[in-house]
Amino acid sequence: MASASLLKTSPVINKTDFIKGQPLRQVSVVRCHPSPPSGITVRASSYADELVKTAKTIASPGRGILAMDESNATCGKRLDSIGLDNTEANRQAYRTLLVSAPGLGKYISGAILFEETLYQSTVDGKKIVDVLLGQNIVPGIKVDKGLVPLAGSNNESWCQGLDGLASRSAAYYQQGARFAKWRTVVSIPNGPSALAVKEAAWGLARYAAISQDNGLVPIVEPEILLDGEHNIDRTFEVAQKVWAEVFFYLAENNVMFEGILLKPSMVTPGAECKERATPAQVADYTLKLLHRRIPPAFLSGGQSEVEATLNLNAMNQSLNPWHVSFSYARALQNTCLKTWGGRPENVQAAQEALLTRASANSLAQLGKYTGEGESEEAKKGMFVKGYTY
């Protein structure tokens, strides 16, 4: 979807800055090296060096992020789609399938976990965190407490979870997490109102500062929802405003830019817009947004598996100064989940389906994806109106 920033200096990211294979690193991508605005003192926490190292590991060339941080309720919906009950045992079995796929670390650098998963073991008793580290995958954690109605707005939402975040983040770090996710959203059909944009930006900045103070690299992600009939120009316009607010408040909160990961949504038309955009158009608008703001990011967005990969590939075939990677949930898991169907005998085939999608996006991150041999299932759209985690 889109990204924009208020900072006057747009630092250029040198791809050689992303060191492959270092333990713990950037959430698939946007590393920032801007000089702080005049008058701003940027705090360097005791974790400063580790934060940069973590960011670099996550932004390894050819690798991206597997988002498997669905809440138990949302995970239950996924399980229900294949006829399984939402039990801890079934959630454990599915998560085991994902993290233990042989060779997953070749394509995936970080995995965002739900709190239950961070403390969970696989079906054969190994800690999920240890399984990920064994694959050179950095464990991450979703730290927000969900969306609630924003009083005084146009039926918009704000993200709760700042209360107690410092103590939770410290505990997550001790458990092995090294980066964090905070999901806040902006709705174009509902405005967005100035109040909602400011609330989203301020919340992200406070979360980012608290995360860094506790050793976690924050993914900075103001998600611009796909819902709506608006065209791609309207998405671009809103994205610029949102990212301008976000970077202003990041600076106000003394966030260390070298230790964050930017995750802008791809700039696309609303899901119900009759005028669709080609991968080349999505790439052009998204890169234009990044050029007008600040560096690289993981891209996401409710598209079909193939569509998400094609759009990422088009961006990386264009000349740009960023390390543009991916952070996908359903775009990596959809075919995998349906192939598994809750049957033990299908685990290997499901893991192969996951690796196929991960490999395709690895190639797209390098601008080498062709789209040949994709299944019809992978081409199906996955947009859900009013989708919640």
Side-chain angles (χ1 to χ4, degrees):
M1 316 255 279
S3 117
S5 103
L6 180 67
L7 296 183
K8 294 181 180 178
T9 54
S10 296
V12 174
I13 301 298
N14 188 327
K15 291 186 179 180
T16 61
D17 287 340
F18 300 96
I19 302 172
K20 187 173 182 179
Q22 285 191 339
L24 304 189
R25 184 247 148 138
Q26 166 178 357
V27 187
S28 174
V29 322
V30 157
R31 281 189 62 210
C32 303
H33 294 285
S35 300
S38 177
I40 295 295
T41 300
V42 177
R43 176 188 62 251
S45 73
S46 59
Y47 293 101
D49 291 343
E50 183 180 352
L51 292 170
V52 174
K53 183 181 291 188
T54 297
K56 286 185 176 183
T57 298
I58 295 173
S60 302
R63 300 203 296 165
I65 293 174
L66 169 61
M68 46 182 292
D69 57 310
E70 299 90 349
S71 67
N72 289 346
T74 300
C75 192
K77 294 177 183 177
R78 305 274 174 83
L79 294 174
D80 182 67
S81 72
I82 57 172
L84 292 183
D85 292 332
N86 185 16
T87 64
E88 183 177 357
N90 284 336
R91 294 193 299 271
Q92 179 190 43
Y94 180 54
R95 291 162 178 164
T96 296
L97 181 159
L98 295 175
V99 303
S100 62
L104 184 64
K106 181 179 179 180
Y107 314 113
I108 299 298
S109 57
I112 309 171
L113 310 177
F114 187 61
E115 188 174 63
E116 178 184 73
T117 319
L118 182 68
Y119 292 91
Q120 204 168 37
S121 296
T122 62
V123 293
D124 51 357
K126 299 176 182 177
K127 292 182 179 179
I128 284 181
V129 167
D130 290 341
V131 174
L132 289 171
L133 291 173
Q135 297 232 51
N136 194 27
I137 297 173
V138 183
I141 179 69
K142 183 176 184 290
V143 299
D144 67 80
K145 293 295 183 179
L147 301 171
V148 293
L150 177 61
S153 71
N154 185 28
N155 294 319
E156 294 162 289
S157 301
W158 69 283
C159 186
Q160 59 185 346
L162 290 177
D163 290 347
L165 179 58
S167 59
R168 295 200 312 276
S169 296
Y172 297 149
Y173 181 92
Q174 290 299 317
Q175 185 62 20
R178 290 296 182 272
F179 71 98
K181 171 184 175 179
W182 175 276
R183 184 179 184 256
T184 193
V185 303
V186 173
S187 171
I188 293 180
N190 289 353
S193 66
L195 173 63
V197 172
K198 181 174 290 187
E199 177 60 45
W202 176 257
L204 277 169
R206 289 305 305 143
Y207 136 78
I210 294 169
S211 295
Q212 289 187 339
D213 271 355
N214 290 280
L216 303 180
V217 170
I219 295 178
V220 176
E221 175 191 8
E223 181 178 347
I224 298 175
L225 297 174
L226 283 173
D227 303 68
E229 300 177 357
H230 53 278
N231 62 24
I232 195 169
D233 290 293
R234 176 58 177 158
T235 305
F236 180 76
E237 176 188 7
V238 170
Q240 289 192 90
K241 293 179 180 179
V242 170
W243 277 99
E245 288 283 291
V246 168
F247 275 103
F248 175 79
Y249 286 116
L250 287 173
E252 287 285 291
N253 281 273
N254 299 322
V255 171
M256 188 180 76
F257 289 167
E258 310 95 290
I260 66 175
L261 300 167
L262 303 184
K263 185 186 173 187
S265 304
M266 294 184 192
V267 180
T268 68
E272 297 158 298
C273 177
K274 295 180 180 178
E275 185 180 346
R276 306 312 301 161
T278 66
Q281 289 173 315
V282 171
D284 178 62
Y285 273 84
T286 303
L287 290 174
K288 182 165 61 174
L289 175 65
L290 294 175
H291 275 290
R292 292 187 180 182
R293 292 327 185 206
I294 283 207
F298 283 105
L299 303 165
S300 63
Q303 306 150 64
S304 75
E305 292 177 331
V306 171
E307 187 178 20
T309 309
L310 284 169
N311 290 338
L312 175 63
N313 189 69
M315 271 174 271
N316 281 302
Q317 287 183 333
S318 301
L319 183 64
N320 70 75
W322 306 287
H323 176 84
V324 184
S325 191
F326 61 93
S327 177
Y328 294 155
R330 289 172 292 168
L332 286 173
Q333 297 181 43
N334 188 53
T335 301
C336 169
L337 176 68
K338 293 182 178 180
T339 301
W340 176 50
R343 298 178 180 275
E345 64 269 25
N346 293 342
V347 166
Q348 183 176 346
Q351 289 180 329
E352 289 173 357
L354 172 63
L355 292 174
T356 294
R357 295 266 33 95
S359 174
N361 284 287
S362 172
L363 290 171
Q365 197 244 48
L366 298 170
K368 298 178 180 179
Y369 173 72
T370 64
E372 295 178 359
E374 291 285 13
S375 68
E376 290 304 311
E377 181 62 42
K379 297 176 184 178
K380 294 180 180 178
M382 293 180 289
F383 168 72
V384 178
K385 189 171 184 178
Y387 178 75
T388 57
Y389 273 63

